[in-house]
Amino acid sequence: QVQLVESGGGLVQAGDSLRLSCAASGGTFSGYAMGWFRQAPGQVREFVAAISWNIGSTHYGDAVKGRFTISRDVAKNTVYLQMNSLKPEDTAVYYCVADRTGSSVYDYWGQGTQVTVSS
């Protein structure tokens, strides 16, 4: 069973940077797409970023383009989300996700990590 474990969340000030990590286990991820979603209190879940495991192509939600960067380390089975120029509206629980077929249907979700950005 695929497991995704996030780490790296915390409390930062506006303008700061933070890097989230997602350690993936329990499978081989060739052909997968990996990504991040977030959900703020009272808000709908929002797509943040995704990356194809094999070739590393990336896709970003409009709210984070130019500020966030997703990457992966195939040897470590880890996906990263580098978040720069953080804003208070980036405050949310961030979830690591995995899509077995690259069809934007996310089969596996991590437990989430809280990111809080103070103004």
Side-chain angles (χ1 to χ4, degrees):
Q1 180 74 0
V2 171
Q3 290 189 317
L4 306 172
V5 179
E6 304 98 333
S7 61
L11 172 63
V12 297
Q13 293 187 332
D16 285 351
S17 298
L18 203 60
R19 189 177 80 158
L20 304 183
S21 299
C22 172
S25 62
T28 55
F29 301 100
S30 176
Y32 276 54
M34 309 292 284
W36 295 89
F37 278 73
R38 68 185 183 184
Q39 188 165 23
Q43 303 295 317
V44 299
R45 192 176 294 164
E46 179 184 22
F47 170 77
V48 176
I51 187 167
S52 66
W53 193 258
N54 290 357
I55 62 175
S57 58
T58 58
H59 179 56
Y60 295 93
D62 289 341
V64 306
K65 281 180 182 176
R67 299 188 299 122
F68 290 12
T69 302
I70 188 170
S71 62
R72 87 272 190 253
D73 186 325
V74 174
K76 295 182 178 179
N77 276 0
T78 301
V79 178
Y80 303 99
L81 185 67
Q82 178 66 43
M83 305 185 292
N84 298 331
S85 302
L86 282 161
K87 306 174 182 180
E89 50 264 43
D90 294 318
T91 295
V93 177
Y94 284 71
Y95 297 93
C96 180
V97 297
D99 165 12
R100 289 179 296 173
T101 60
S103 60
S104 299
V105 176
Y106 294 97
D107 308 278
Y108 303 102
W109 291 71
Q111 81 287 353
T113 186
Q114 177 71 46
V115 172
T116 302
V117 184
S118 63
S119 57

